[in-house]
Amino acid sequence: MRIPLSWLREYAQVPADATAEDVMADLVKVGLEEEDVHRPTDSISGPIVVGQVLSLVKEPQSNGKTINWCQVRVVPEGQPQTLTHEGIDPSGVQGIVCGAHNFTEGDKVVVTLPGAVLPGDFAISARTTYGHLSAGMIASVRELGIGEDHDGILVLSTLGLDPEVGSDALELLGLYDQAAEINVTPDRSHCFSIRGVAREYAHATGTSFTDPAAGIAVPAASGPGYPVRIADDAGAYAAPGCDRFVARTVTGVDASRPTPPWMASRLRLAGMRSISLVVDISNYVMLELGQPLHFYDADALRGGIVVRRAVAGEQLQTLDDKVRTLHEQDVIIADDRGPIGVAGVMGGAETEVSSTTTRVLIEAAHFSPIAIARSRRRHKLPSEASKRFERGVDWEVADEAAQRAVELLVELAGGTAEDTATDEGTRPAPAVIDLPEGFASRLIGVDYTPEQVQGTLADLGAIVEEVPGGLRVTAPSWRPDLRIREDLVEEVARLVGYDKIPSTLPVAPPGRGLTRVQQQRRRVLQGLADAGLVEVLSYPFASAAQNDAFGTPTAGEAVAAVKLANPLSAEFGFLRTSILPGLLETARRNLSRGFRDLAVYEAGLVYLPGDTLGSAEIPPLGARPADEVLDGLDAGLPVQPQHIGAVLFGHDSAPAAGSTPRAYDWASALDVARLIGDILGVELVVGQGSHQAFHPGRTAALALRSGEHVGYAGELHPKLLAELDLPARTVAMEIDADALFEAAADLVVARPLSTYPLSTQDVALVVDRDVVAGDVLETLRLGAGELLEDVALFDVYQGPGIEDGKKSLAFGLRFRAADRTLTADEASASRTAAVAAAAEKFGAVQR
């Protein structure tokens, strides 16, 4: 919201020498946010004066143009020229070349004399052109920065002005004024008006405030005005779309009259361009009082006005010349022919006021914020009116706003006010709030006196009554955001001063902190980062093809996924069922930017729909749904387990002298998964796996000791890597973190370090080629007994010396006793038992 200071001074005691910066500094004290300063004189400076064309000689040029050689008087006749800049003629008459042709002798115009600077840092000086010394410029509206018209120069009589020659044109056009721009938060709708900002300025400075609405005398109507009927029986949550509609009529309007410069200047500084006198009056009253108005060409109306909901399929051509198909929940203004406006958003083209309009019907209504906000979003049609209505408008000011518009149409457009009036509907009841004694002090932590609380609320415009136990406060009509006692306390804290609230560090209550799962998650993520991986965050959206490829291990198997109703991109229209698609897209993007070695990981939710997805209906807003309704909503949500994934390609380090980088392979992905298990104290069982997105022979299936499958690790499928333009041998892993969190012990206890020596023995076993090495390893572990501390596969061999269809698996076995030094015979006996178990189960033969 931009606030011209000259306008603000009419209703608030703003010092004459105060700047826009000063005003914003005061408004910040009451919680408003400063945005910008708008000061025309920052880009334009004089001497710029009113001149009168004494003579005009048309001179055709060889280039086809015709220029005017003008003699322009810039000081009153008979008075001396007091300006002395180079190029200014002491006689008071300037010779100026002008290319415009919309003026003649005797016209008064705006003359920029040598030494002036126009917007765009355009300096004016005397220069020779078309054979003449042109000492100045006759300016157009665009050159002065007050409009877009550049078809001709500004003739002051077209604005209804006849100023004295030589007078300051900047002052005449209101260019010495300045505006402070503030950001209005959604709960401060009254600040979308000069009236509201003036009230806040008075609060901030402790000065008096003159309510512009209080100074408007609304005459008693002699009878009913234009027929209006409110017929809205389909409001959201039983709230009508319109509860009050005031209408006034003005006849004999001359809509072709120019907008006076003082009004155009204020509108321009407030961020609105001047359109026409009638439209400008509508905007002026809205900015002044905060009540949006709509003006109809009364002669274009057909029958009475009805405020109703649209019928599905109805269409309306709005003022922006677009034909819009209306929704059955749109509140519309209609006459006998059908819709003539989207209520509170934008009017229709058929009843638009034009330069030939002579009868104007003024609408000042109060609409439901919910209805207006939905219509505005539904039609993507923001407007100054909807911006105010959807935040809340003072329902009591409609009469005054309509009367103010009537007075301006009579004064400036020569109209005649009809003495009838329409006031249909009922005014909403104000909120009545009980404020317990001492509640403000308890909530804010400041010892407010009863006088401070009562006086602040009264200054706010509320009606305050003393009742047993506290105060009964009736909120003012211009503050629809005041609904509960906490709202009142917020106002007390704001107006007494936020600087009065002490800064006290709260003491954390004992016995709280991160939950068990939060602690586990943090340990895992930190451990992966410590291991050299980089955490990333990707969007949780995926394409159908991505979910099909990663959501199931079997190609061609149907994958259930949550389809988005309003996706950011049609290509990625589903919630992900795997975390890997986003990781692979991140890897691909980094590769395209020159990264050849990459190890990234991500922790996030995946979305796995069950048998029931969604609910039959959405419960209404404004009230807490019943427990069974909430249970039904919960039942319709997809299962959302937390997964952790990683993608690696390239090498684990950069090349360096004396160091050979190790290329990432399937074992690297498996190591990441095992690291997660080690951090949580959960043992992962690794077996031969199969997944359509992974390499057929280089995939590990990950499971818990209980047999529950929790993920995959290995090399990605070559065909998939080729499609994604990722390096060959790119590896990945994905694991169900929630399953690991559940399996992890509350406290991971480290095993004591034994002081007894280790006994190591190796064994090579020949088995059939299709025997899984992990199964053999597990059999060795069980067969060796309690003396076995660890067993690891360190070699797989197929070649000379090994029969066809066979392979050799070499394992390292580590033995240790907790209470003694093992003898070689004890270690050998355990090894022999382990080999025997493998021979019995797999037919393994020791090499």
Side-chain angles (χ1 to χ4, degrees), residues 1-130:
M1 175 70 185
R2 298 182 182 182
I3 309 104
L5 265 56
S6 64
W7 206 348
L8 184 64
R9 286 189 176 98
E10 292 186 7
Y11 309 116
Q13 294 183 353
V14 181
D17 59 349
T19 64
E21 290 86 350
D22 297 331
V23 170
M24 288 194 296
D26 288 325
L27 293 175
V28 165
K29 298 176 185 176
V30 288
L32 294 172
E33 300 174 7
E34 57 184 356
E35 284 287 326
D36 203 357
V37 170
H38 302 272
R39 187 180 293 112
T41 52
D42 286 345
S43 60
I44 186 172
S45 61
I48 302 176
V49 300
V50 174
Q52 186 169 28
V53 180
L54 301 179
S55 66
L56 181 154
V57 179
K58 296 186 179 296
E59 297 182 357
Q61 303 296 312
S62 58
N63 61 4
K65 284 186 176 181
T66 298
I67 60 98
N68 299 312
W69 172 237
C70 307
Q71 298 296 313
V72 184
R73 180 177 296 283
V74 294
V75 295
E77 187 173 3
Q79 294 186 18
Q81 174 62 273
T82 58
L83 301 175
T84 58
H85 194 279
E86 181 181 354
I88 297 179
D89 197 307
S91 67
V93 176
Q94 299 290 122
I96 300 174
V97 172
C98 184
H101 301 282
N102 65 321
F103 66 103
T104 186
E105 289 93 342
D107 282 341
K108 290 183 178 179
V109 294
V110 176
V111 179
T112 59
L113 296 173
V117 179
L118 296 181
D121 201 22
F122 179 37
I124 303 300
S125 61
R127 60 190 183 92
T128 300
T129 180
Y130 294 107

Side-chain angles (χ1 to χ4, degrees), residues 136 226 260 266 303 341 352 414 519 530 589 651-652 701 705 832 837:
Y226 200 90
R266 287 183 172 180
E352 179 181 7
Q519 292 174 351
D530 293 342
R589 190 179 304 113
H651 297 81
D652 62 357
R705 276 287 170 192
T832 300

Side-chain angles (χ1 to χ4, degrees), residues 529-599:
D530 293 342
L533 284 80
V534 176
E535 185 177 8
V536 298
L537 183 65
S538 59
Y539 287 113
F541 312 124
S543 66
Q546 288 173 330
N547 279 338
D548 289 343
F550 291 93
T552 176
T554 306
E557 186 175 302
V559 177
V562 179
K563 183 175 176 59
L564 297 171
N566 188 23
L568 295 177
S569 166
E571 180 182 1
F572 301 101
F574 296 85
L575 290 176
R576 66 190 177 193
T577 58
S578 166
I579 210 162
L580 288 180
L583 270 174
L584 291 172
E585 178 61 28
T586 299
R588 190 176 67 83
R589 190 179 304 113
N590 279 272
L591 179 66
S592 69
R593 285 156 176 76
F595 290 90
R596 296 294 178 260
D597 303 311
L598 190 75

Side-chain angles (χ1 to χ4, degrees), residues 268-342:
R268 183 174 60 253
L269 267 179
M272 289 186 169
R273 63 187 180 92
S274 177
I275 298 173
S276 67
L277 176 60
V278 176
V279 175
D280 289 350
I281 288 174
S282 170
N283 289 332
Y284 188 86
V285 175
M286 177 185 68
L287 290 173
E288 186 171 70
L289 299 177
Q291 169 68 56
L293 303 177
H294 186 70
F295 288 180
Y296 300 92
D297 186 333
D299 292 328
L301 293 170
R302 300 290 180 266
I305 284 177
V306 180
V307 185
R308 60 174 173 85
R309 299 282 167 162
V311 176
E314 280 187 305
Q315 291 188 323
L316 169 68
Q317 182 179 356
T318 46
L319 292 174
D320 57 359
D321 292 327
K322 293 183 179 179
V323 177
R324 303 179 185 275
T325 300
L326 301 175
H327 187 274
E328 59 188 9
Q329 279 298 314
D330 286 332
V331 180
I332 63 166
I333 312 299
D335 62 5
D336 289 351
R337 89 194 93 187
I340 58 173
V342 181

Side-chain angles (χ1 to χ4, degrees), residues 683-817:
E683 183 179 357
L684 291 177
V685 178
V686 179
Q688 182 68 43
S690 175
H691 193 291
Q692 60 174 324
F694 285 81
H695 192 288
R698 299 169 185 158
T699 305
L702 308 174
L704 301 177
R705 276 287 170 192
S706 63
E708 180 184 357
H709 174 79
V710 293
Y712 291 93
E715 186 177 312
L716 292 171
H717 200 290
K719 184 184 293 185
L720 176 67
L721 296 177
E723 291 174 356
L724 296 176
D725 293 325
L726 285 171
R729 303 299 177 90
T730 296
V731 299
M733 61 75 55
E734 182 171 7
I735 199 164
D736 184 345
D738 279 353
L740 268 65
F741 296 154
E742 180 67 26
D746 289 343
L747 185 63
V748 179
V749 179
R751 290 182 298 179
L753 295 176
S754 175
T755 59
Y756 295 99
L758 181 71
S759 177
T760 302
Q761 295 195 18
D762 297 337
V763 62
L765 302 176
V766 178
V767 296
D768 291 338
R769 184 176 296 176
D770 57 355
V771 173
V772 177
D775 294 341
V776 178
L777 183 146
E778 192 63 25
T779 301
L780 291 173
R781 185 192 305 277
L782 295 174
E786 62 180 10
L787 294 180
L788 181 68
E789 183 177 88
D790 190 28
V791 57
L793 175 72
F794 65 84
D795 185 51
V796 178
Y797 174 71
Q798 299 177 67
I802 302 297
E803 296 179 39
D804 290 341
K806 301 284 187 178
K807 62 182 177 182
S808 172
L809 304 177
F811 298 91
L813 290 80
R814 297 170 38 159
F815 299 97
R816 194 192 317 254

